[in-house]
């Protein structure tokens, strides 16, 4: 069952004990993409609550109504409120709607994708971004992790530098590590966080950036610069390039304006795509 995702309204769970919104705790979403095991979802809810977070988003969980699963409830171990208030959405794009900065946790090195950060550096980046609006941490399926298409939708990558001889972390452990680093960073920065928006400007949200990529891709096809039958790595490279910049809304509008005029000049339909 899917539940509506309201980016402006934080969950009521843990409201009495969580710091105020300016601290970043209520502006941070933890997104689990296609989680397989109800117990891991419950354990993730517990990991969030112990660090003062409450916004859990589940993308196409393999078990329907996983929030009501007995194993998930048992593993939540007192974080039933976080589990019960988790939002369920069909796609990562839906989970990131209204988010202007996101970071994907991955164990694999990616040839193309956003810059990779250690958890502490990722937390520092989050501090710089959270004052401008919602941010998200994205975690993959327990067995397969995140697909390249999911990683490409995120602003940055995080990697936990575990023991190379045995680097296996389960989903909840990985979430705990990132949630801890975020908690420490948010508490240390404290009142500085709400000043971040003036520093970073009005950043574009994830859904706005995705529409820009679709528009730009159509324009490059119209120019015969991109062959849709043999696209190679052009769009992933462009995504990586723009991920390094932290696109502002006005910059996205400029790029879409360029794409629109390319399509109009080329006589391609849907110039307002």
């Amino acid at each position: 069952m899917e539940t509506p995702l309201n980016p402006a309204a934080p969950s009521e769970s843990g409201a009495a004990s969580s710091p105020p919104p300016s601290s970043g705790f209520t502006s941070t979403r933890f997104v689990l993409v296609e989680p397989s095991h109800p117990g891991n979802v419950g354990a993730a809810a517990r990991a969030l609550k112990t660090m003062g977070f409450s916004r859990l988003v589940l993308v196409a969980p393999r078990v329907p109504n996983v929030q009501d699963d007995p194993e998930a409830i048992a593993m939540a171990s007192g974080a039933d409120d976080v589990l019960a208030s988790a939002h369920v959405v069909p796609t990562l794009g839906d989970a990131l709607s209204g988010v202007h900065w996101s970071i994907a946790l991955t164990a694999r090195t990616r040839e193309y994708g956003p810059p990779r950060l250690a958890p502490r550096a990722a937390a520092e980046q989050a501090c710089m971004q959270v004052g401008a609006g919602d941010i998200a941490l994205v975690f993959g399926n327990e067995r397969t992790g995140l697909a390249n298409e999911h990683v490409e939708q995120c602003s940055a990558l995080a990697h936990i530098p575990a023991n190379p001889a045995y680097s296996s972390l389960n989903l909840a452990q990985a979430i705990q590590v990132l949630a801890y680093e975020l908690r420490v960073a948010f508490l240390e920065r404290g009142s500085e966080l709400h000043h971040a928006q003036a520093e970073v400007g009005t950043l574009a949200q994830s859904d706005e950036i995705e529409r820009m990529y679709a528009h730009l891709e159509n324009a490059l096809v119209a120019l015969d610069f991109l062959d849709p039958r043999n696209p190679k790595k052009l769009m992933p490279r462009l995504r990586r390039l723009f991920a390094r910049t932290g696109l502002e809304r006005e910059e996205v509008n400029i790029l879409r304006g360029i794409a629109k005029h390319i399509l109009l000049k080329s006589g391609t339909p849907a110039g307002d795509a």
Side-chain angles (χ1 to χ4, degrees):
M1 177 180 176
E2 297 169 13
T3 56
L5 183 61
N6 182 353
S11 165
E12 294 179 0
S13 59
S17 57
S18 294
S22 62
S23 68
F25 285 87
T26 55
S27 300
T28 303
R29 305 178 194 177
F30 286 76
V31 179
L32 312 188
V33 178
E34 299 177 2
S36 299
H37 305 295
N40 287 337
V41 175
R46 181 180 182 180
L48 295 194
K49 189 167 184 177
T50 59
M51 293 296 115
F53 297 95
S54 62
R55 300 183 68 182
L56 180 61
V57 184
L58 309 175
V59 177
R62 300 290 174 84
V63 176
N65 303 314
V66 66
Q67 305 100 308
D68 301 322
D69 188 275
E71 185 182 355
I73 294 170
M75 291 299 291
S77 188
D80 312 56
D81 52 346
V82 176
L83 177 63
S85 64
H87 293 283
V88 179
V89 295
T91 70
L92 179 57
D94 294 313
L96 296 180
S97 178
V99 166
H100 75 86
W101 185 85
S102 57
I103 187 159
L105 185 73
T106 178
R108 304 196 305 272
T109 301
R110 311 278 176 154
E111 182 181 3
Y112 301 102
R116 285 193 357 150
L117 301 169
R120 192 155 301 171
E124 288 300 314
Q125 284 283 317
C127 283
M128 296 170 60
Q129 301 290 343
V130 75
D134 279 8
I135 64 172
L137 281 74
V138 180
F139 301 81
N141 172 269
E142 297 92 327
R143 187 175 63 84
T144 59
L146 290 168
N148 286 334
E149 65 189 72
H150 296 143
V151 170
E152 289 170 0
Q153 292 182 58
C154 296
S155 313
L157 281 180
H159 171 69
I160 298 173
N163 175 11
Y166 186 71
S167 59
S168 177
L169 287 170
N170 69 32
L171 178 60
Q173 289 172 330
I175 291 170
Q176 191 79 72
V177 170
L178 270 295
Y180 168 76
E181 292 290 354
L182 271 183
R183 178 177 179 82
V184 170
F186 286 170
L187 292 177
E188 285 181 349
R189 296 289 288 269
S191 60
E192 299 176 25
L193 296 180
H194 71 276
H195 297 302
Q197 185 167 8
E199 298 174 10
V200 299
T202 304
L203 294 175
Q205 295 181 350
S206 176
D207 42 338
E208 295 171 328
I209 293 173
E210 287 303 310
R211 289 195 293 270
M212 179 204 77
Y213 284 132
H215 208 166
L216 185 58
E217 184 172 358
N218 290 339
L220 294 174
V221 170
L223 286 172
D224 292 327
F225 190 82
L226 172 64
D227 182 354
R229 296 165 299 181
N230 186 28
K232 298 183 179 178
K233 298 292 184 179
L234 177 60
M235 291 310 297
R237 284 181 183 274
L238 288 176
R239 282 177 175 270
R240 184 173 184 177
L241 184 156
F242 288 124
R244 291 197 297 266
T245 67
L247 285 166
E248 296 182 5
R249 183 167 289 162
E250 185 176 348
E251 294 166 340
V252 165
N253 289 338
I254 290 171
L255 289 168
R256 293 200 67 182
I258 293 170
K260 176 182 177 179
H261 279 275
I262 289 172
L263 291 168
L264 288 173
K265 291 290 186 181
S266 67
T268 304
D272 293 320

